[in-house]
Amino acid sequence: MAAGPALVDEKRALRGELRARRDRLDPEERARAAREVCAALLLLPEVASARVLAAFVPTRGEIDVSAAVAAGAAAGARIAYPRVSEIGRAACRAR
């Protein structure tokens, strides 16, 4: 089901507002939050026992979960990152 123009505009505005909030965070606060999120992720049984973890490379102030990804890889999980090969076409590839 396709979203109507009003919903698309609303989602765009919300993403912009959330990005602005992230941009206002102090770098130390951002780093602390990333450490806490990574620690919480690693406590999840689904993550601890995963053979494949889907991950992302943070951009534009997104939370950095690279410590959790590195821990998963060290524990033997394959890591799958999204890859955009064409505009509008995305796929995941494990390495």
Side-chain angles (χ1 to χ4, degrees):
M1 175 192 285
L7 181 59
V8 170
D9 290 342
E10 188 177 328
K11 288 172 70 174
R12 183 177 293 127
L14 180 59
R15 283 192 297 270
E17 179 184 330
L18 294 175
R19 198 169 10 261
R21 284 185 191 180
R22 283 195 317 249
D23 290 345
R24 288 192 299 265
L25 288 175
D26 175 72
E28 285 298 318
E29 175 68 16
R30 194 177 294 198
R32 183 196 59 75
R35 286 190 302 272
E36 289 180 5
V37 167
C38 288
L41 284 171
L42 294 171
L43 291 176
L44 294 171
E46 298 86 353
V47 173
S49 64
R51 294 187 304 165
V52 177
L53 288 175
F56 64 93
V57 176
T59 62
R60 295 187 284 184
E62 293 174 333
I63 193 139
D64 185 357
V65 295
S66 60
V69 173
R78 294 181 69 201
I79 309 301
Y81 288 98
R83 177 177 169 218
V84 177
S85 57
E86 297 175 29
I87 294 189
R89 285 185 55 117
C92 250
R93 183 174 199 175
R95 64 172 175 98

